[in-house]
């Protein structure tokens, strides 16, 4: 039996190496990353943004939000709102690379990278541009909880047009801040 994720590694007496078999989740993530590097052109752009006003707004609203909505207010829905606004202004970014040309998508379906015990999963918020910050906050919380308890539906893992990678996941996935890998069906991470 495979030890749980995060379990200490034990070495057999006299052995300098220990093999921990890949889980299906990790195999799937690795295969998707390899496919994306060969299937679509990659470019990277890192922009530093001053979010002081956003932090102040969230801090000023979080207690009232919790009382009204019954949930904590995350920064993630604000990030999604910013991505949605950018896509509305630059619709060619909400697209897929194909051999025939750029396939621009009308619907804005935002994948949200969620760290789970065995890897990373990207459920999709369909028509994210139709949701308020409160709606996005509720949807992200619901998807995260169900992702971590392995209760997502297949349609919630399909149809993404762009991926929003929350800051806490970005620090884990991109410690060197030098590279990223695209989900081959999404135009941005």
């Amino acid at each position: 039996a495979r030890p749980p994720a995060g379990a200490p590694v034990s070495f057999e007496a006299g052995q300098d190496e220990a093999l921990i078999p890949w889980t299906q989740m990790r195999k799937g993530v690795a295969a998707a990353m390899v496919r994306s590097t060969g299937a679509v052109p990659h470019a990277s752009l890192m922009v530093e943004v001053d979010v002081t006003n956003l932090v102040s707004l969230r801090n000023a609203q979080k207690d009232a939000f919790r009382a009204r909505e019954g949930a904590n207010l995350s920064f993630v829905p604000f990030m999604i709102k910013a991505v949605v606004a950018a896509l509305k202004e630059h619709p060619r970014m909400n697209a897929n690379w194909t051999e025939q040309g750029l396939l621009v998508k009308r619907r804005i379906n935002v994948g949200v990278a969620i760290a789970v015990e065995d890897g990373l999963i990207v459920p999709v918020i369909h028509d994210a541009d139709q949701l308020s910050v409160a709606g996005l906050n509720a949807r992200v919380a619901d998807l995260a909880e169900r992702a971590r308890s392995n209760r997502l539906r297949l349609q919630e893992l399909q149809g993404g047009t762009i991926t929003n990678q929350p800051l806490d996941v970005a620090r884990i996935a991109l410690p060197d801040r030098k590279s990223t890998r695209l989900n081959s069906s999404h135009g941005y991470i």
Side-chain angles (χ1 to χ4, degrees):
R2 179 181 6 169
V9 176
S10 61
F11 295 92
E12 297 293 324
Q15 298 296 314
D16 291 331
E17 300 173 333
L19 179 66
I20 300 170
W22 294 120
T23 62
Q24 286 305 111
M25 167 78 69
R26 292 215 184 262
K27 284 181 185 178
V29 168
M33 291 174 70
V34 168
R35 273 194 312 274
S36 78
T37 57
V40 297
H42 281 68
S44 295
L45 173 66
M46 184 75 62
V47 177
E48 188 170 320
V49 178
D50 181 356
V51 294
T52 303
N53 291 339
L54 171 60
V55 171
S56 296
L57 172 68
R58 179 191 168 265
N59 288 342
Q61 296 296 318
K62 67 182 181 180
D63 292 336
F65 185 90
R66 187 179 310 111
R68 184 178 65 250
E69 302 291 334
N72 290 326
L73 180 58
S74 166
F75 286 105
V76 175
F78 293 102
M79 293 170 50
I80 294 171
K81 274 295 197 187
V83 167
V84 165
L87 291 178
K88 285 184 172 188
E89 189 172 334
H90 304 282
R92 289 178 184 223
M93 294 299 296
N94 192 38
N96 293 89
W97 169 272
T98 72
E99 290 299 320
Q100 296 76 32
L102 190 66
L103 184 61
V104 180
K105 307 291 185 159
R106 178 188 317 264
R107 295 176 68 193
I108 300 176
N109 300 332
V110 180
V112 179
I114 297 174
V116 293
E117 182 178 331
D118 235 9
L120 190 68
I121 195 162
V122 184
V124 177
I125 300 174
H126 294 271
D127 300 310
D129 55 318
Q130 303 300 310
L131 296 174
S132 64
V133 169
L136 288 168
N137 194 75
R139 190 76 175 113
V140 169
D142 173 62
L143 289 171
E145 188 276 322
R146 288 189 300 111
R148 292 180 180 125
S149 61
N150 201 27
R151 295 184 295 120
L152 291 172
R153 295 181 297 272
L154 181 60
Q155 65 266 28
E156 292 170 322
L157 298 169
Q158 299 174 333
T161 60
I162 195 159
T163 299
N164 187 74
Q165 185 166 323
L167 296 174
D168 59 334
V169 175
R171 282 195 297 272
I172 295 166
L174 306 171
D176 62 0
R177 300 181 60 93
K178 293 179 184 173
S179 64
T180 188
R181 297 285 183 258
L182 292 175
N183 179 326
S184 59
S185 66
H186 297 195
Y188 155 86
I189 293 185

